[in-house]
């Protein structure tokens, strides 16, 4: 292969890598919008369940709807958040280096993918986000269960359901902590 053919091949490869970058960033943007809307959907679902429970006097068992709703929406939130992070990792660790190899001697490509992670307050922001996620997806549904348990009478079958819901929420909480990405870049 001559130098001209090699340069042409590198240019085509470079254009393909840029196209791939644009596509994965578009997926990342869409997932960010969806993930952020899941927060609002969770708050709306909680408000609806609590309102319905309060309007149906003598029916505190309706609060048992809150943990599964929180778990379902929380899992969707977590999955999308992980994919958003995975896309960033892919761009930083795979796509960027492959593109940079085509233009040796130039500054690193996709610098923003690393720069925003180098902020000295990133870890404190991630901890606050973890706290907010746990509050929304685990503490609120557990609080609903405590309110249910504090009402009389608690029926055995619904008590069993509520204990299963504690397990469900616990599993979600553990997964939220495991995926929190609290380490340095």
């Amino acid at each position: 292969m001559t130098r001209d053919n090699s340069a042409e091949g590198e240019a085509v490869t470079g254009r393909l890598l840029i196209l791939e970058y644009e596509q994965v960033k578009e997926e990342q943007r869409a997932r960010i919008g969806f993930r952020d809307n899941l927060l609002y959907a969770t708050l709306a679902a909680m408000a609806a369940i609590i309102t319905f429970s309060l309007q149906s006097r003598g029916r505190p068992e309706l609060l048992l709807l809150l943990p599964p709703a929180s778990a379902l929406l929380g899992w969707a939130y977590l999955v999308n958040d992980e994919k958003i992070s995975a896309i960033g990792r892919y761009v930083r660790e795979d796509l960027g280096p492959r593109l940079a190899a085509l233009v040796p001697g130039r500054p690193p490509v996709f610098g923003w993918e690393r720069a925003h992670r180098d902020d000295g307050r990133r870890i404190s922001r991630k901890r606050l986000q973890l706290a907010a996620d746990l509050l929304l997806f685990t503490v609120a549904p557990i609080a609903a269960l405590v309110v249910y348990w504090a009402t009389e009478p608690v029926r055995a079958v619904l008590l069993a359901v509520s204990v299963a819901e504690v397990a469900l929420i616990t599993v979600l909480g553990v997964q939220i902590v495991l995926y929190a990405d609290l380490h340095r870049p």
Side-chain angles (χ1 to χ4, degrees):
M1 181 181 255
T2 67
R3 176 67 187 133
D4 287 342
N5 286 343
S6 176
E8 185 177 307
E10 287 177 357
V12 168
T13 300
R15 285 192 294 273
L16 290 172
L17 291 173
I18 293 295
L19 181 61
E20 181 180 5
Y21 172 76
E22 290 170 352
Q23 293 299 312
V24 296
K25 290 305 281 186
E26 181 55 37
E27 178 182 346
Q28 190 180 49
R29 276 188 290 278
R31 285 185 177 275
I32 288 170
F34 183 71
R35 178 203 59 195
D36 292 352
N37 283 330
L38 284 167
L39 295 172
Y40 304 123
T42 302
L43 289 170
M46 287 179 173
I49 291 167
I50 291 168
T51 300
F52 188 56
S53 176
L54 290 173
Q55 288 177 347
S56 302
R57 296 196 187 271
R59 305 267 331 261
E61 65 271 12
L62 293 173
L63 289 173
L64 295 178
L65 295 171
L66 205 142
S70 296
L72 178 68
L73 293 164
W75 185 253
Y77 175 89
L78 182 62
V79 167
N80 273 281
D81 191 58
E82 192 283 324
K83 293 302 178 204
I84 292 162
S85 295
I87 289 169
R89 238 182 350 269
Y90 175 71
V91 169
R92 283 189 312 279
E93 298 171 6
D94 188 305
L95 193 57
R98 284 191 290 149
L99 188 58
L102 296 174
V103 284
R106 303 243 179 182
V109 294
F110 309 135
W112 173 247
E113 298 293 335
R114 289 201 186 280
H116 76 93
R117 294 179 60 85
D118 290 338
D119 178 10
R121 291 182 298 236
R122 178 182 175 277
I123 298 299
S124 64
R125 274 195 319 275
K126 294 297 279 185
R127 285 183 180 140
L128 288 171
Q129 184 63 53
L130 173 59
D133 293 348
L134 288 172
L135 180 65
L136 182 63
F137 296 116
T138 64
V139 174
I142 294 297
L145 291 172
V146 169
V147 169
Y148 169 69
W149 293 329
T151 62
E152 294 292 332
V154 174
R155 293 183 295 186
V157 77
L158 293 181
L159 180 60
V161 167
S162 69
V163 169
E165 290 178 342
V166 169
L168 177 67
I169 295 302
T170 301
V171 168
L172 177 62
V174 167
Q175 292 301 306
I176 289 171
V177 171
L178 291 174
Y179 283 100
D181 192 23
L182 296 175
H183 60 279
R184 289 276 173 207

